[in-house]
Amino acid sequence: MHQKKKIAVLGATGSIGRSTLDVVRLERERFEVHSLAGGSRIEPLVEAAREFGVKRVAIADAAKHDELARALREAGLGKTEVLAGERAAAELAADPDADMVLHAVVGAAGLRPAFAAAAAGKRLLLANKESVVCGGELLMNAVKMGGADLYPVDSEHSAIFQCLAGAGEEARRGARLILTASGGPFRGRRDLSGITPAMAVKHPKWSMGRKISVDSATLMNKGLEVIEASWLFGFPADRIDVVVHPESIVHSMVEYADGSVIAQLAMPDMKTPIALAMGWPERIDGGTAKLSLAKIGSLTFEEPDREVFPLLDIACRALREGGAATIVLNAADEEAVAAFLDERIGFTDIFRVVEETLEDCAGLGAPRSLEEIFEADRSARRAARLIIERLA
Ligand code: NDP
Ligand code: MG
């Protein structure tokens, strides 16, 4: 029996974090939860800390330190160490005792923990796509320099990782990536007026956090994923395609020079890519239902509607442009989605905020450090907020 792998679960109280804990529950002989990090909610964090008996717990909201410490004491976890503040999750990511870091914090707040895990040479199971979109080459270099192993958790990227497994340099050179997209809740609509937050977060196939659900509804999520795929696998924008596949059974594909297409299929359940990242090169059963193609009957595919959903192309343009464009894109989107969820702006205003912020921040140079990424992120948020105020 080999030693249990110790995992730091960042974003533990969210959709991916909870699915990760589900996988650990099934594989207690192999994995142990070493630490947990959340944003601001205490109750689910303490609940998970109690169940898994973790050594360290972090909360991003610094004002919640004492309340969390008290709640842990009352739960009989007086010895559990409490960390609080915006650097707390990064500290857990770099903890020498943790073997793996499952990173499912939402948004650019995930940058610091991603760089910390990379520098500490961890096995990094990465769901937080925003850190790849903003970190780009700097993050990929940090992974290399730190000797870390990065396994994507985003389902499309997990699929591509599997479809590329075993392909040598030559084979990759002539290949194209084909990302599948569910199309979101508004697929087929020509008119996106009158969409409320409640409508936008109700995804037809996946149950996810609110931010990524809105991104799926605008197709920004697919734009972010094209950028993510480009950095993770070293493919330029013009060798990455997107096809809409409403059943969400084919999670993505790779087309090779000979016309062969390798796809990965599974029921839509994030426990599959999470378990893959935890176990690779072994495959462990994370509890996802097995696929029955006969029951499903047919799989359908269509072109994305790039006119009604302009953010897909806008994101691809930002990738081609380089510099700080993808950081600006991400920051503007985070601000716009938050404003939409607060009912300060309408659904299609998200498109305007992103597009105009990119115009306002055009020409920002490529960052040379993590701190410069934060600088670009801050300037873009300032510009986006001004646009939001005007629209609100
Ligand atoms: P959720 O909103 O469900 O969860 C977000 C988690 O991050 C929560 O634990 C939240 O804590 C925590 N958090 C929020 N802000 C901070 C912060 N500043 N520092 C540390 N932790 C913070 O999101 P999801 O689980 O849906 O998504 C997480 C990430 O995974 C995103 O980047 C998303 O794009 C990606 N992803 C998600 C998929 C999915 O199916 N859900 C699929 C593919 C990728 P609290 O509960 O206290 O707010
Ligand atoms: Mg995805």
Side-chain angles (χ1 to χ4, degrees), residues 10-18 37-42 44 59-60 86 89 103-107 109 127-130 153-156 206-212 221 225 270:
L10 316 181
T13 53
S15 164
I16 294 286
R18 289 193 311 269
S40 60
R41 294 185 308 136
I42 289 181
I59 193 154
E86 61 172 34
H103 183 359
V105 170
V106 59
N128 176 266
K129 64 191 78 185
E130 295 90 346
V153 168
D154 212 345
S155 56
E156 295 76 4
W206 300 94
S207 156
M208 309 180 287
R210 284 160 68 78
K211 190 261 179 181
I212 183 176
N221 184 51
E225 289 182 353
M270 290 306 294

Side-chain angles (χ1 to χ4, degrees), residues 240-258:
I240 306 175
D241 295 332
V242 173
V243 65
V244 172
H245 168 47
E247 294 83 8
S248 297
I249 295 294
V250 176
H251 295 297
S252 280
M253 302 168 255
V254 175
E255 182 195 79
Y256 288 97
D258 60 358

Side-chain angles (χ1 to χ4, degrees), residues 197-217:
M199 291 158 76
V201 299
K202 214 168 165 291
H203 196 275
K205 286 287 169 206
W206 300 94
S207 156
M208 309 180 287
R210 284 160 68 78
K211 190 261 179 181
I212 183 176
S213 295
V214 176
D215 282 344
S216 299

Side-chain angles (χ1 to χ4, degrees), residues 38-220:
S40 60
R41 294 185 308 136
I42 289 181
E43 205 191 300
L45 205 50
V46 173
E47 193 47 51
R50 179 164 45 193
E51 181 184 347
F52 292 96
V54 303
K55 298 204 168 51
R56 309 181 86 190
V57 176
I59 193 154
D61 184 345
K64 297 266 175 83
H65 177 280
D66 293 356
E67 198 185 328
L68 175 59
R70 195 172 342 119
L72 285 167
R73 268 197 313 275
E74 283 166 8
L77 297 170
K79 285 200 183 124
T80 298
E81 185 190 351
V82 179
L83 296 89
E86 61 172 34
R87 291 174 189 256
E91 205 175 320
L92 296 188
D95 189 320
D97 280 346
D99 302 302
M100 308 186 172
V101 177
L102 181 289
H103 183 359
V105 170
V106 59
L111 271 161
R112 240 185 250 289
F115 275 86
K122 298 295 180 192
R123 179 175 178 120
L124 173 55
L125 324 182
L126 189 58
N128 176 266
K129 64 191 78 185
E130 295 90 346
S131 57
V132 181
V133 168
C134 299
E137 194 176 7
L138 284 175
L139 180 61
M140 294 305 111
N141 285 341
V143 166
K144 230 178 276 159
M145 300 286 290
D149 294 308
L150 198 168
Y151 294 91
V153 168
D154 212 345
S155 56
E156 295 76 4
H157 305 77
S158 176
I160 290 170
F161 170 83
Q162 295 173 66
C163 299
L164 284 173
E169 268 309 305
E170 295 270 303
R172 283 173 187 241
R173 227 175 284 139
R176 303 178 66 75
L177 309 183
I178 307 169
L179 300 184
T180 50
S182 71
F186 309 127
R187 182 177 62 88
R189 275 175 77 142
R190 299 290 306 167
D191 177 12
L192 298 179
S193 54
I195 287 170
T196 63
M199 291 158 76
V201 299
K202 214 168 165 291
H203 196 275
K205 286 287 169 206
W206 300 94
S207 156
M208 309 180 287
R210 284 160 68 78
K211 190 261 179 181
I212 183 176
S213 295
V214 176
D215 282 344
S216 299
T218 59
L219 288 201
M220 175 57 126

Side-chain angles (χ1 to χ4, degrees), residues 23 158 162 264 266-267 269-277 284 286 288:
V23 176
S158 176
Q162 295 173 66
Q264 184 256 345
M267 291 298 280
D269 184 335
M270 290 306 294
K271 293 200 291 291
T272 309
I274 292 167
L276 186 108
I284 56 181
T288 300

